[in-house]
């Protein structure tokens, strides 16, 4: 159903981060789903034409609550933020619909290099600074550690240097921030990635249909981003060995060539094709190897 280029029907509301580390990838994923997001003006609200979806561009911390309270039907948020809100009892009305695989990072406890804290148990009686008090408290409880939690909303990594805490519990990605601050990762509290979350309560049939359509497109877009189309020529005698080397590919197409001893193999690889794989394919006798990006595919 289309009305003047806008898809008709009851519209769903989707919350995404307005600006920050997840904003570009979230909007990029929507674009790969064929949805155009016009963020040209400094607006908090954006109407999508291709599906009945309205975007709410907000701070990531608000997203779990908005979805749990029914202000939004779905949202994209980091697992760290979602888990912290849930751990604090604040997002009971929201559930995970899909793991999206981007914005990967981890919530970790870190301590000063050569500071004498060599394990989780050594945190007993110490102070740990964090913006994730609920997740840290749950972790300490599970590990029977009695440490004091110092709540900080930013610049957590400077707390040990300022002598206001013995360690920190914060987000780590490359680890460069820890190194720059003379800290070392002691343990991972929570691995994190971007999540698509939805309201736990049933939506109207119209809204449910849109959520499922969007989900199918997202799965297809994520799969296409990870997948490659690979074409190569192979000696007939090496087909088994070569197809076994193709990453994440279950049914390659094998075609006769004008030469009796050679075949062409075409396959969709649902995993990254590394240079190492290309080299192994060559060693196994493959030639004329082509690896092509895939624009769209269904899951
Ligand atoms: O304004 P708003 O509240 O929406 O955003 P924000 O400032 O709270 O969050 P933002 O934009 O910084 O991050 C959004 C989400 O991205 C986080 O909730 C995580 O899920 C995810 N993410 C991925 C990260 C990182 N990578 C990351 N590296 N979030 C934060 N960092 C910070 C971290 O806090 C630390 O200061 O980067 C530093 C560590 O990075 P490395 O590479 O030096 O280890
Ligand atoms: Zn935030």
């Amino acid at each position: 159903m289309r009305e003047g280029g806008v898809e008709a029907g009851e519209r769903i509301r989707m919350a995404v981060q307005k600006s920050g580390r997840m904003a570009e990838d979230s909007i990029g994923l929507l674009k790969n789903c064929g949805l155009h997001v016009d963020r040209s003006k400094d607006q908090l609200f954006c109407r999508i034409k291709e599906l009945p979806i309205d975007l709410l561009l907000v701070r990531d911390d608000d997203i779990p609550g908005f979805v749990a309270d029914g202000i939004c039907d779905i949202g994209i948020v980091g697992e760290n933020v979602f888990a912290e809100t849930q751990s604090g009892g604040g997002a009971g009305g929201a559930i995970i619909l899909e793991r999206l695989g981007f914005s990967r990072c981890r919530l970790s406890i870190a301590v000063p290099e050569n500071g004498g804290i060599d394990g989780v148990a050594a945190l007993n009686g110490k102070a740990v600074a964090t913006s994730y008090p609920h997740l840290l408290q749950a972790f300490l409880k599970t590990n029977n550690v009695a440490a004091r939690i110092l709540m900080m909303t930013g610049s957590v990594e400077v707390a040990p240097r300022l002598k206001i805490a013995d360690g920190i519990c914060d987000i780590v990605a490359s680890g460069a921030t820890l190194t720059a601050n003379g800290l070392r990762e002691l343990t991972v509290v929570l691995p994190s990635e971007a999540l698509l979350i939805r309201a736990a309560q049933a939506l109207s049939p119209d809204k449910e249909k849109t959520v499922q359509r969007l989900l199918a497109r997202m799965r297809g877009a994520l799969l296409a981003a990870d997948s490659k189309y690979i074409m190569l020529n192979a000696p007939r005698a090496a087909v088994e060995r070569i197809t076994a080397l193709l990453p994440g590919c279950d049914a390659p197409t094998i075609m006769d060539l004008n030469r009796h001893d050679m075949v062409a193999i075409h396959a969709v690889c649902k995993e990254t094709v590394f240079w190492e794989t290309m080299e192994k394919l060559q060693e196994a006798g493959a030639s004329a190897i082509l690896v092509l990006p895939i624009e769209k595919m269904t899951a």
Side-chain angles (χ1 to χ4, degrees):
M1 275 189 296
R2 282 188 148 253
E3 256 178 22
V6 177
E7 185 106 10
E10 202 184 350
R11 304 177 69 78
I12 61 167
R13 273 200 173 174
M14 176 173 191
V16 294
Q17 193 188 25
K18 182 173 163 47
S19 60
R21 286 189 169 86
M22 284 190 62
E24 287 310 313
D25 284 346
S26 303
I27 301 294
L29 175 59
L30 295 178
K31 284 188 179 151
N32 290 339
C33 292
L35 310 179
H36 291 93
V37 181
D38 178 13
R39 281 194 304 163
S40 48
K41 292 164 231 111
D42 188 27
Q43 55 191 17
L44 297 177
F45 184 82
C46 176
R47 197 173 168 89
I48 302 237
K49 287 198 179 115
E50 295 83 2
L51 284 180
I53 300 174
D54 291 328
L55 281 192
L56 228 60
L57 302 159
V58 293
R59 286 200 62 177
D60 65 350
D61 314 74
D62 293 332
I63 295 175
F66 279 3
V67 174
D69 296 345
I71 295 165
C72 293
D73 304 299
I74 57 174
I76 296 179
V77 69
E79 192 165 359
N80 50 315
V81 174
F82 183 62
E84 173 64 17
T85 316
Q86 277 209 320
S87 192
I95 53 171
I96 299 173
L97 188 54
E98 190 78 354
R99 299 184 160 273
L100 299 176
F102 61 85
S103 287
R104 284 190 189 276
C105 56
R106 53 201 186 272
L107 180 67
S108 289
I109 295 178
V111 292
E113 299 268 11
N114 315 316
I117 300 176
D118 51 6
V120 174
L123 290 169
N124 253 310
K126 307 282 188 199
V128 183
T130 190
S131 311
Y132 297 84
H134 298 109
L135 286 174
L136 176 58
Q137 191 173 37
F139 177 86
L140 293 174
K141 195 173 168 207
T142 308
N143 288 279
N144 283 320
V145 174
R148 188 164 61 83
I149 298 174
L150 178 73
M151 175 63 190
M152 285 178 77
T153 51
S155 305
V156 175
E157 65 278 2
V158 300
R161 233 185 320 142
L162 297 179
K163 307 272 182 230
I164 53 176
D166 303 288
I168 66 165
C169 175
D170 199 13
I171 297 296
V172 181
S174 67
T177 304
L178 293 186
T179 308
N181 287 281
L183 301 170
R184 117 188 121 75
E185 207 170 343
L186 192 63
T187 187
V188 175
V189 172
L190 179 84
S192 177
E193 65 186 283
L195 301 176
L196 178 67
I197 58 168
R198 64 163 289 164
Q201 66 183 44
L203 302 176
S204 70
D206 256 9
K207 284 188 169 188
E208 192 60 48
K209 198 172 149 202
T210 304
V211 170
Q212 293 309 321
R213 275 179 82 185
L214 178 66
L215 181 60
R217 287 193 191 191
M218 278 189 179
R219 286 181 176 155
L222 293 168
L223 199 57
D226 282 344
S227 302
K228 293 281 180 276
Y229 193 79
I230 186 161
M231 303 194 284
L232 54 86
N233 292 343
R236 200 177 287 274
V239 165
E240 212 172 309
R241 198 170 150 217
I242 285 177
T243 50
L245 286 170
L246 296 173
C249 126
D250 16 71
T253 308
I254 298 167
M255 288 159 288
D256 285 334
L257 292 173
N258 276 340
R259 288 172 51 180
H260 175 70
D261 58 332
M262 295 289 286
V263 292
I265 300 178
H266 288 196
V268 173
C269 291
K270 293 181 187 150
E271 290 167 27
T272 315
V273 182
F274 293 106
W275 278 108
E276 287 77 6
T277 310
M278 306 269 284
E279 286 159 6
K280 281 187 188 148
L281 287 168
Q282 271 185 315
E283 279 165 25
S287 55
I289 307 172
L290 277 181
V291 180
L292 307 171
I294 294 173
E295 192 185 295
K296 287 189 181 70
M297 69 191 283
T298 52

